Amino acid sequence: MGTPRETPQAQAEAVVDRLEAEYPESTISLRYSNRLELLIAVILSAQCTDERVNKETKHLFETYDGAEDYANAAQDELAEDLNSITYYNSKAEYIRDSCATILEEHDGEVPDTMDELTELSGVGRKTANVVLQHGHDIVEGIVVDTHVQRLSRRLGLTEEKYPERIEQDLIEIVPEADWQQFTHLCIDHGRATCTAQNPDCHDCVLADICPSEKGDSEIDLASGDPW
Ligand code: SF4
């Protein structure tokens, strides 16, 4: 079991510093070439791997060109074009509805405010934060996905369970300049080392400051269950 830094702020800063040294190239792994493609890729990535989304969007983005194409697509055709993605029927509907709203209310442009984005079909705060950060260079929150959720709890940065509450805790302690990068660092570390089922604590750069470290910690703080 590692010993966390004295304050949550110091713990968050130490986590960022060490993970930045470990993953200097950390960034978003979804592929896109404009804001609409980004929005669509993020909608598709809910409960699906970025790798699978990238594979599917490769042909999707060649077939459909702009909000009008998606809004006018037949539901079953668009769904069929997405059929390797989890919940492809619902996601096809979200994309068609979102693109219709973008055409009708935003002159065909992906909006740049949290309120307008979260009014789009299938777009919650997490998706909106990603689109704001990577599509509009606006960082007004921290994207909390499953990796951020798990690592933040394991590292003692939050005791909250739900993403929006976790985000509020993180906003208080992660330096604002690192809000965007914090997510990518957690994702990289969550994939490489601090995996959900079998984290490799022996080979972890955070082991000495992690209260969940498996050496002699009995509890996985992410779940609250014994290791
Ligand atoms: S791999 Fe182990 S030591 Fe590292 S952050 Fe995850 S639980 Fe903590």
Side-chain angles (χ1 to χ4, degrees), residues 154-155 189 193-194 199-201 204 206-207 210 212-214 227:
R154 278 185 179 159
L155 289 160
H189 197 55
T193 304
C194 192
D200 186 4
C201 300
C204 176
L206 303 173
C210 176
S212 299
E213 193 267 330
K214 280 198 287 186
W227 284 114

Side-chain angles (χ1 to χ4, degrees), residues 5-22:
R5 294 284 193 253
E6 275 189 5
T7 65
Q9 285 83 358
Q11 176 78 345
E13 278 175 39
V15 167
V16 170
D17 285 351
R18 290 188 188 189
L19 293 184
E20 267 181 344
E22 191 73 1

Side-chain angles (χ1 to χ4, degrees), residues 116-175:
E116 288 170 320
L117 279 165
T118 51
E119 274 170 18
L120 299 177
S121 181
V123 177
R125 192 174 163 89
K126 184 183 90 175
T127 299
N129 262 326
V130 178
V131 173
L132 286 175
Q133 291 182 9
H134 293 278
H136 295 288
D137 283 328
I138 297 171
V139 182
E140 64 172 65
I142 295 178
V143 177
V144 178
D145 78 337
T146 180
H147 296 287
V148 176
Q149 198 169 358
R150 183 176 72 255
L151 267 71
S152 298
R153 287 176 55 88
R154 278 185 179 159
L155 289 160
L157 299 174
T158 182
E159 293 181 356
E160 296 289 351
K161 287 188 176 158
Y162 298 105
E164 294 199 3
R165 292 198 170 182
I166 292 174
E167 184 186 0
Q168 290 315 309
D169 278 357
L170 293 175
I171 279 174
E172 297 293 324
I173 58 174
V174 175

